[in-house]
Amino acid sequence: MQEFERKQLLERVNREGATVGASIPETIDVQGEEVDLQSFVFEIKRRDTVPKGERERVEQAKKNLRRERLQRLQRIEDGEVSYAEGERLVESIIGIDRALNALEALGPADLEREAEAQEAADRKRWMKFLRKALGHDDTSHNTRGRP
């Protein structure tokens, strides 16, 4: 592969918006293991959030995808592949990026913690209201001329 071709391929990978219109590969070889990437991502995305029991699995998948992406990118950077192989690597990297974007967009489904935080905020507002209504709030003490 010529140097200008290598640079061209690397530019395609790093182009902003490279994943727009790209599809997630059906299967991909990650760390020597074939993964049904498309079905995995769609299964997780269908839930909108990552359930507590699935978080570790999703985090491990993202870690493996990042590692695989880096290895493929390094193969292009080293320039020891043909241009045709480089193009295949670019397409697979963009597919990995698309999958990572989809997985990163999911928030953790810690609904219990969110509910507890909401309940605590509600309690705090209620207590503030009661203190004010009963005349126990700091501003009411100052209006009576007390220091």
Side-chain angles (χ1 to χ4, degrees):
M1 169 177 9
Q2 301 288 322
E3 181 64 20
F4 78 92
E5 291 173 322
R6 186 181 63 78
K7 286 183 180 181
Q8 212 175 35
L9 293 173
L10 291 172
E11 189 276 326
R12 275 180 48 205
V13 168
N14 295 316
R15 184 180 309 149
E16 193 170 320
T19 60
V20 174
S23 59
I24 298 171
E26 283 187 38
T27 60
I28 190 167
D29 186 47
V30 177
Q31 307 296 303
E33 182 180 327
E34 185 150 319
V35 176
D36 293 329
L37 187 59
Q38 194 176 68
S39 63
F40 173 74
V41 171
F42 288 150
E43 171 194 333
I44 297 298
K45 276 206 55 98
R46 182 173 41 92
R47 300 177 186 163
D48 293 326
T49 56
V50 181
K52 196 172 193 173
E54 293 286 315
R55 279 190 217 137
E56 188 174 320
R57 180 176 164 220
V58 171
E59 288 304 314
Q60 187 62 47
K62 290 191 301 191
K63 185 177 176 180
N64 289 342
L65 286 170
R66 285 188 203 103
R67 187 178 302 128
E68 187 65 33
R69 181 194 190 281
L70 182 60
Q71 288 175 353
R72 291 173 187 223
L73 188 62
Q74 286 174 339
R75 287 181 61 196
I76 296 170
E77 287 174 344
D78 293 343
E80 296 177 8
V81 294
S82 68
Y83 184 74
E85 177 63 17
E87 282 187 323
R88 283 191 293 278
L89 287 169
V90 165
E91 292 304 315
S92 69
I93 291 169
I94 291 172
I96 290 171
D97 287 345
R98 177 71 180 88
L100 283 169
N101 289 342
L103 294 172
E104 293 290 346
L106 296 172
D110 203 342
L111 300 178
E112 290 175 22
R113 193 172 353 171
E114 287 178 33
E116 287 172 7
Q118 185 65 42
E119 193 174 313
D122 289 345
R123 265 196 312 272
K124 187 175 179 180
R125 282 192 297 275
W126 179 244
M127 291 305 292
K128 184 177 180 181
F129 169 78
L130 286 177
R131 279 194 302 272
K132 191 172 189 175
L134 296 173
H136 297 294
D137 127 21
D138 293 336
T139 58
S140 64
H141 291 297
N142 291 337
T143 59
R144 295 183 183 156
R146 294 184 194 163

